[in-house]
Each structure stands twice: as C-alpha cells, then as structure tokens.
Amino acid sequence: MQQVTELELKAIRAQMNPHFLFNALSAIQMLINKNDIKQSNIALAKFGKLMRLILENSEKQTVSLEDEIKTLKLYIELEALRFPFNYNLNIDPALDQENMEIPSMIIQPYIENAIKHGISKIVEGGKIIISTKKINENWIELTILNSGELGYQVDTGIGIENSKRRLDLQY
C-alpha cells in the first residue's frame, strides 16, 4: 500500500511541476513585458530560490513542514504578481515545522486550484488564507480559503461554476 501511495505521489508531482514552472515563468514574463525591471529582478530571484528548493526536494519522499512552507510562500508570491490578491499564512505555533515531515509538494496543487478557480478572475480584493492546526503528533489540519477582509465567512472568489463559465466564454 505504501508503494502504491508513493507511486501516486510521484505521478502527481510529475504532472504538477510543469504547471508550477509555467505559472512562475508567466508571472516573470508579464513583468518583463511591462518593462518593470526592478520587480522582474525580484521575481527572478524568487524564481531561482523556488527552483533550488524544488530541485533539492525532488528526490525526497518527504520534506519538513518548514521547507514546504518556504516553497509555498515563493510560489504564492510569484502567482500574486499575475493575479492581484493578498494572502495570509497562519501556522499553528504548536507545530514543530523543522521536524514534522510531509510529502513534498502535497499542498501546492490545492493552493494553485484556489488561485485558478477562486482568485484569478477577480479584478481586485481577492485573498487566500492558509491555516494549519496541530491535531495530534501525527496529524495536522490544513485549511485553504478564499476570503475577504471580514474573515472566513466571506468568499471573494467567483466560485468554480462561474469560473468554468468564464473559461468557456473565453474560447
């Protein structure tokens, strides 16, 4: 069962990495096209750090929560260049980020989905809130929400159905 799970994770990572890279490069390309040299350089430096983390973690089955969060922050910051949104990352202080191991790149596809379906079509004011909570020594709870300034009760995303309709209309 463990081998099957590891193979599934490997397949997911192989499919996701091209999206991950393409999205980050698209953000940098947009800045270059706007002739924003300062932000282009900042984004390129973040992209370089992101690539280093991905390459360092690519052969590992698991990574520390701390490393996963570093990777997520860089990814989100690059995506925020393409789509105007804010984010909060709330990490439970009870979590031992340095020693807690999780599968590498397991959280990123969910954040990508929240951006793609909830935030990317909003002109301004979108926000993603990512929270972790320690359940016990072996379990953490991860919550990813599209939220407005009023907190978790207000969803600023347009929703998956409206997102699908807008995608259909664009082609």
Side-chain angles (χ1 to χ4, degrees), residues 48-85:
K49 288 178 188 176
L50 181 62
M51 291 303 94
R52 186 177 66 232
L53 285 170
I54 290 172
L55 291 171
E56 286 173 356
N57 295 333
S58 66
E59 295 298 315
K60 299 175 184 176
Q61 293 296 322
T62 61
V63 296
S64 70
L65 180 59
E66 180 179 51
D67 285 345
E68 185 76 352
I69 289 168
K70 285 179 191 175
T71 303
L72 290 173
K73 281 182 180 178
L74 289 168
Y75 173 75
I76 293 168
E77 289 170 6
L78 288 169
E79 283 291 69
L81 295 173
R82 294 189 330 138
F83 307 113
F85 70 90

Side-chain angles (χ1 to χ4, degrees), residues 3-5 76 78 81 128 132-133 145 162:
Q3 287 177 334
V4 170
T5 303
I76 293 168
L78 288 169
L81 295 173
I128 293 180
T132 62
K133 180 180 176 183
L145 297 168
N162 285 332

Side-chain angles (χ1 to χ4, degrees), residues 137-171:
E137 291 304 313
N138 297 314
W139 291 92
I140 64 171
E141 177 182 273
L142 173 73
T143 306
I144 302 169
L145 297 168
N146 301 327
S147 179
E149 294 301 319
L150 298 176
Y152 297 126
Q153 299 153 350
V154 178
D155 183 346
T156 62
I158 64 169
I160 194 163
E161 292 307 317
N162 285 332
S163 178
K164 285 180 186 176
R165 281 195 286 277
R166 285 203 178 169
L167 290 174
D168 290 341
L169 294 174
Q170 290 178 354
Y171 295 103

Side-chain angles (χ1 to χ4, degrees), residues 4 8-9 11 14 26-27 31 33 40 45 54 56 63 67 79 88 93 96 110 121 124 135 148 159:
V4 170
E8 288 173 346
L9 284 172
S26 292
L31 290 171
N33 289 337
S40 298
I54 290 172
E56 286 173 356
V63 296
D67 285 345
E79 283 291 69
N88 284 354
D96 183 0
Y110 295 102
K121 306 298 185 256
E124 62 182 59
I135 303 299

Side-chain angles (χ1 to χ4, degrees), residues 1 13 26 107 140:
M1 190 63 157
R13 281 189 212 116
S26 292
I107 301 170
I140 64 171

Side-chain angles (χ1 to χ4, degrees), residues 14-140:
Q15 291 174 355
M16 185 223 16
N17 281 336
H19 281 320
F20 197 65
L21 299 174
F22 179 79
N23 290 343
L25 286 171
S26 292
I28 295 168
Q29 182 182 27
M30 180 199 66
L31 290 171
I32 291 169
N33 289 337
K34 286 182 171 181
N35 205 27
D36 189 340
I37 303 302
K38 183 178 179 181
Q39 288 301 314
S40 298
N41 284 325
I42 291 169
L44 196 55
K46 288 180 181 183
F47 182 76
K49 288 178 188 176
L50 181 62
M51 291 303 94
R52 186 177 66 232
L53 285 170
I54 290 172
L55 291 171
E56 286 173 356
N57 295 333
S58 66
E59 295 298 315
K60 299 175 184 176
Q61 293 296 322
T62 61
V63 296
S64 70
L65 180 59
E66 180 179 51
D67 285 345
E68 185 76 352
I69 289 168
K70 285 179 191 175
T71 303
L72 290 173
K73 281 182 180 178
L74 289 168
Y75 173 75
I76 293 168
E77 289 170 6
L78 288 169
E79 283 291 69
L81 295 173
R82 294 189 330 138
F83 307 113
F85 70 90
N86 294 312
Y87 76 97
N88 284 354
L89 188 55
N90 306 316
I91 307 299
D92 186 343
L95 290 170
D96 183 0
Q97 294 180 49
E98 188 177 332
N99 294 311
M100 178 171 270
E101 295 283 319
I102 63 172
S104 177
M105 301 290 284
I106 192 123
I107 301 170
Q108 186 274 337
Y110 295 102
I111 294 173
E112 181 178 359
N113 190 55
I115 294 168
K116 180 179 177 183
H117 295 293
I119 298 297
S120 67
K121 306 298 185 256
I122 295 174
V123 176
E124 62 182 59
K127 187 172 185 178
I128 293 180
I129 298 173
I130 304 156
S131 299
T132 62
K133 180 180 176 183
K134 182 176 181 175
I135 303 299
N136 61 40
E137 291 304 313
N138 297 314
W139 291 92
I140 64 171

